[in-house]
Structure formats: C-alpha cells, structure tokens
Amino acid sequence: MLNKLKKKTMTAKINLSSEIIPLFEKLGLSEYNPSFCTGSIWSGLKEAKKYTCSSPINNQVLGYSETIGAEDYEHVVGSAQKAFLKWRIVPAPERGEIIRQFGLELRAHKNELGKLLSIESGKILQEGLGEIQEMIDICDFAVGLSRQLHGFTMHSERRFHRMYEQYHPLGLVGIISAFNFPAAVWAWNATIAAVCGNVSIWKPSEKATLTASACFKILRKVLAKHKISEGVFNLIIGGPEPGERMSKDSRIPLISATGSVRMGKKVGAAVGARLGRSILELGGNNAVIISPDCDLEMAVRATLFGAVGTCGQRCTTTRRLIIHEDVYEKVKDRLISIYRSLRIGNPLDDQVLVGPLIDREAVENFKKAIVEIKREGGEILYGGEALNTGAFEEGNYVVPTLARVKNEFDIVREETFAPILYLITYRGEIANAIDIQNNVTQGLSSAIFTNNLRESELFLSHAGSDCGIANVNIGTSGAEIGGAFGGEKETGGGRESGSDAWKFYMRRQTNTINFGLDLPLAQGIKFDV
C-alpha cells in the first residue's frame, strides 16, 4: 500500500531558502525581527527570548522571533490605553479610511503574503492566497461598516421624552489567533474593532509569527503615512504566557480567542473571573449529512474539500460523514477513488491538494487517532499512514484517511486536527441523521445534501442542526465574510466577521432625553415632595 501511495504522491524536495529570501525582501522582512510590539514606533524588547520559526513542509528553520516579557507587555498595554483615548474620537469614516488603505496594501502584496503563509502554515498555495483575499474582503466590509454603526430609536411612554440606543467602543481588544488561519482571523477582529473605535493587541500563534509580522509590517506603512499614534494596533510574540496575561488583564475588556476547546475553557474562565467579555471560536466536529435524495457527486466533491483542505486543520473541517444506508456503498466507493488520486506534498506545487500537518506533534496525534479507531472496532477504508520516507522524510505528511465507524466511538466524538473522515450510516428519516449530527459536544458547522425541500427545511429549523453554521448543498468549510462566524456548545458561542458581529466590540447604551417642562416618572409613579 505505502509504495503505491508514494508513486501517486511524491513531489520533489525543496530548499526553502531560495523561496523565502525573496519574499522577505519584498515584504520588508530582510532584517527579520517580528517583535513590532506597538503600532508605529516602538520595536525594542528588554526581556527577549529566541523562538524558532520553521516550515512544516520540511521543518527547515526560516528565522527566529523574540518573545515578549512582562515589562514589555506592560509597555504595550500602556501604549494601547493612551492610543485609545485619541482613536475613539476619530470619526468612524476616517477610521474606515485607514482600513481601506490597509486593504489596498494587502491587494498589492497578495501573492507574496499568500506564498509566505503557505510556507509557514503548510496550506496549499490556493488556500494561502484565499486567506489573504479574505483579509481584503473583511477590510472592504469594515469600510462600509464604518458608516453604518447604527443605534435604535424608540417611543417613550412619557410626553416630550425621546429614547434611543447607541454603541460606544469598548477600549482594548485582545486577539489570540491560531496557526491554521494566521492572518484572516486577526483581520476579522482587528479591522472591525478598529472602525468601532477600539485599539487591539494581537497575540498570534507562535507557529505562525512570520505571517503575522509581514501583515503587521504592511499595516505599519499605512499607519505611518497617516501619522496614526502609537498603540492603535499592537503585535506581541510569544508562547502561552502573553495570552494568559491578556486573559487576566482587566484593562482589556474583550478577548477574542481562536483555538482548541481546552485553551478556550482556560481563556473563558480567566476572562469570566474578572467579568470581562470573550469571543470564543473553538473546536468543531463538523458533519455532512448525505440524503438518498441528493446530487451525490456534488456531495462528494464538497466533502472532499471540507475533509482534506488545510490537511484537515480547519475548525470547520468535515470530520463526520453521515450517509443514508441506501447510498453508502456508492459514496464510499467514490470517495476511495478520489482519495487514491490525491497528490500530497509541497503545498507550493499547483498539482498538490494536500500539504503537511503543522508539526511532528500533529503527526503523532494523527497516528494515535488511527490506533484508537482500530481499538474501538472501526475499519480503515483508506489511508491511515504517516509518510516519513523519501521525499516526505523531512516534513510532516500523512495520508488522508477514510474510516468506517460508529458515532458513539470516543475518538469520533473528539476533534483530531488531521485529515481523518469518519463514515457513519443512518437509516430511515432525516431526523435520525440530525440526531446523530447533534450528538457531539461541539457545534460549529454543519451541512446537508438533499433535493428534498422538507428535509432541508427541517435541517434549518429549531428542530434541526444545533450548530452556529448550517448549510444546504454546500460543505462545512469555506464561510463567506458577510455572515457572522461562530458556533454553539463547546465551540464557544462567539461570533466574528460579518452581519452584526460588530456589536460584540461595542458597549451598548440607552439614552433618554427630557425636553419638556415637567418631570414625569415611568410607570406613572407619583413621587411628589
């Protein structure tokens, strides 16, 4: 099996030095030090520790970053507090103009940023470019939003009184992002927070500091051009420690954290203990339901991208495929046929659809999951192997896997961040499939493939999917920025990106104005002296 796989998946070894140096030069990172701790001026570190930046393509060292210490952290927060006092009084459309120009710079550097992102995260180049486009799109959205931060007006029960609601900026917004979306998730939060009048502090994953630094370098050019004060946008580099400080810091009213459920529970507890706010976008155990009354080829193709995109390392990755028993064999055979043709390897190769996992630890987690599937009685239908010889020896590659399982298996109810797709059958009505889908602790994304109106409407009803995202005839992965993104249950309940998610970054205020000559009380209460 393995020798056959190699023939279909082998790609040439790559020396990333020849790729990365020109990118550094184009992105202004030739003298690489990503510790740009505040928006436009300060970049010195007093308590720096070296951190190695490597590529999952072949684990080659790309550079070194310097992690922030306690004293430096205090400098960043202090600068951000001062910047907020100025930034909040800048008219929202002017704030939007800064974001508009950032979007223009991203357009100009899209190819270089997309390639750098692919090298650092292991995403195929198309996904890397797509992530930068997502940043551009959210900039456009934020610009429009800057003129639409609407409040509400309502009628008062008292004569000559006016009531309305308005929204004010919160202040400092802490953003903790993960390696799998090293740029877009920050942009979702930072651009919306900025047009709302907030300042932000970004702690990216220590596994993706190059991409973060390049994005921030580009942003600094825009800020410097407009003489934006130090501290409106802030970047801090480090492991878990800076994120823990941010979560416990009462000077930061809102923490937006993307990552594992385990991490999110810690962040949520720390923020909740000080009665702060949190936007938690955590794990997903996303399912696609395939009804016998559907376009099977469409369902299979959508499942493929959802299951193997980003090598299974998306929070919206399709992990469970719930198939009606009448079409199970057709779907299984078609998937196996497609999986056999997948090219695995260097994500910069246009013919490759599956790049590496992020690091060796992720490979070990994949291998442990395969062992557990077999121990619980599951059947590996395809894949299940790590690629660690020949052209794959230096990288973190695995074979995307199909496994026949039951939804009750412990391993199926967990989120393994790897390209493992669990095939589960259901019989009878679509409600049975929905019950299987909902019977996990996560609730991010879900999808159904059906041409039956009643099935699709039931899936979208209050008796249907319990996830934050529910799709009909499209997969679980690849959300547009126009909709609010997030999920329920252990996914955290937060919402980011589009729709009215901007309200999470604001404080709500009710105002009542008496323009009459009397002082009537509400509810007709008499309180005369």
Side-chain angles (χ1 to χ4, degrees), residues 117-318:
L117 192 153
S118 294
I119 290 172
E120 186 172 37
S121 70
K123 287 186 174 184
I124 63 171
L125 184 56
Q126 279 298 307
E127 289 188 84
L129 294 171
E131 182 164 347
I132 305 306
Q133 184 60 49
E134 194 166 355
M135 296 178 73
I136 295 168
D137 292 344
I138 200 65
C139 284
D140 289 347
F141 182 91
V143 173
L145 178 65
S146 69
R147 293 181 181 271
Q148 300 183 71
L149 300 172
H150 302 303
F152 302 94
T153 300
M154 63 284 293
H155 289 280
S156 172
E157 66 184 61
R158 290 169 283 185
R159 296 187 180 191
F160 304 114
H161 282 60
R162 181 163 67 90
M163 294 180 63
Y164 68 95
E165 291 182 351
Q166 61 180 333
Y167 290 86
H168 297 295
L170 282 172
L172 279 62
V173 173
I175 304 166
I176 302 171
S177 62
F179 75 86
N180 58 337
F181 280 88
V185 169
W186 165 67
W188 287 358
N189 286 274
T191 58
I192 302 299
V195 298
C196 289
N198 301 294
V199 303
S200 60
I201 302 174
W202 179 23
K203 208 296 286 185
S205 168
E206 61 272 25
K207 300 175 183 179
T209 57
L210 283 174
T211 302
S213 300
C215 292
F216 212 73
K217 188 92 173 181
I218 291 169
L219 176 59
R220 284 162 62 92
K221 287 171 54 180
V222 176
L223 299 177
K225 179 180 177 182
H226 290 269
K227 297 181 174 59
I228 301 300
S229 62
E230 175 185 3
V232 173
F233 297 89
N234 303 276
L235 171 66
I236 58 177
I237 302 295
E241 295 82 5
E244 292 172 0
R245 288 194 185 100
M246 290 165 63
S247 300
K248 297 175 182 178
D249 195 334
S250 59
R251 295 169 294 181
I252 306 177
L254 173 66
I255 298 291
S256 176
T258 303
S260 68
V261 172
R262 182 170 59 88
M263 180 276 287
K265 286 182 176 180
K266 291 182 179 179
V267 171
V271 176
R274 59 179 175 85
L275 299 181
R277 298 188 193 183
S278 58
I279 299 174
L280 300 178
E281 201 286 284
L282 311 176
N285 196 345
N286 314 295
V288 169
I289 296 173
I290 296 185
S291 162
D293 187 8
C294 80
D295 184 328
L296 286 181
E297 186 63 20
M298 179 186 290
V300 167
R301 293 184 69 83
T303 298
L304 178 67
F305 175 71
V308 306
T310 319
C311 199
Q313 298 171 112
R314 289 182 176 222
C315 52
T316 55
T317 290
T318 305

